[in-house]
Amino acid sequence: MPMEEKLLKILKELRPEVDFTRETRLIDEDILDSFDIIALVGELNDTFDIQIGPEHLLPENFNTLSCILDLVRKLQAEG
Amino acid sequence: MEKITDLDQLNKLLAPCMKRGVLTNNYLMYKDYKQYIEQGVLYYIKGRSGMLLFRDDGNHWRLLYYLSGFEDDFPLPEDKPSVMEVLFQAGGKEHEPVLAYWQSKGFKPYLPRKRMLVPAVEFKAASFPAGTVVFAQKKHAPAISALLSASFDRYLGCIPSQEEIIAGIERKEFICAVDARDRIMGVLEIRRRRNLYTIRHLVVEREFRGRGLARKMLAFLETIVEKDAKIKIELWVQSNNPAARRLYEKAGFSYDGLESVGLLYEP
């Protein structure tokens, strides 16, 4: 399954009511709160074999689907 | 217990804990960690199947846990109480082994709370009689401080210092009911973060209860809340306070399913 599709599946399981393909201010508009982010980080770390740590818990990393994808790709590349 | 002195150390400690299935009550974001490390108030204890973070909150240690099992016997600080809060969905079972574990280590559950929410456009308090309720002024800070300290839990009550109250008064976050002699009869503290208002404290001095002052402060709040479809108002109400629950329900609030319980360890 492509990475974007996997990510969307995780996000949809977390918050089924949100259209993650359209939202551009997931954090700025409190669509995702810190509870969601912590649950999401655990899933992302395991699914994509990356280590999102406290230093990455910034609004700009989680505001859009593409921001989250960029973060995952960056951490995968850092290996 | 070791002090955390920089973000690199924190990253190395926490990265292995931020995994699926690891139980935690830690919802801090980067800016929070940065602040606590700069203040020198963050410590940790590492175990075989978990790790604890401790934030020095002055009169107590605020405990944040990561648990992937329940085998560890963490040595708890003995100089002052350790306090934590566990959040869970109503009807959920996931928190039960966590509560049982901490109770087996000497923690006592207290301060059960439930979250209530209302969309700002549906927030309806009563009509507002002018004169009784006003934005607090700096001169009210000592009385507000005294009332909040006497009314809310000293560990989990998020009681602001007088300096924080003054800063909040400047941001118009404190609404108060005053009598003809300018005595504080009640206080409502509100904070806005993006699209969410949080009622942090709402209290009426004991001798002035039964006069509808809490409702009047909510009515004042209604006049200043931005009524936009995206905006919500939230609060946490004690599960054993039906009078407060009824007050909020009349203003349009309802439970959203999130609950919490405090855990207190007194050495």
Side-chain angles (χ1 to χ4, degrees), chain A residues 27-28 43 45-46 54 57, chain B residues 11 18-20 30 194:
Chain A
I27 306 298
D28 293 343
E43 287 297 323
N45 280 345
D46 279 21
L57 300 178
Chain B
N11 280 322
M18 296 168 79
K19 295 279 178 195
R20 184 192 297 145
Y30 173 78
R194 297 188 290 264

Side-chain angles (χ1 to χ4, degrees), chain B residues 105-119:
Chain B
K105 305 299 175 197
F107 281 84
K108 292 191 175 116
Y110 84 122
L111 205 65
R113 292 190 277 199
K114 296 181 178 183
R115 190 166 72 177
M116 300 184 88
L117 272 174
V118 63

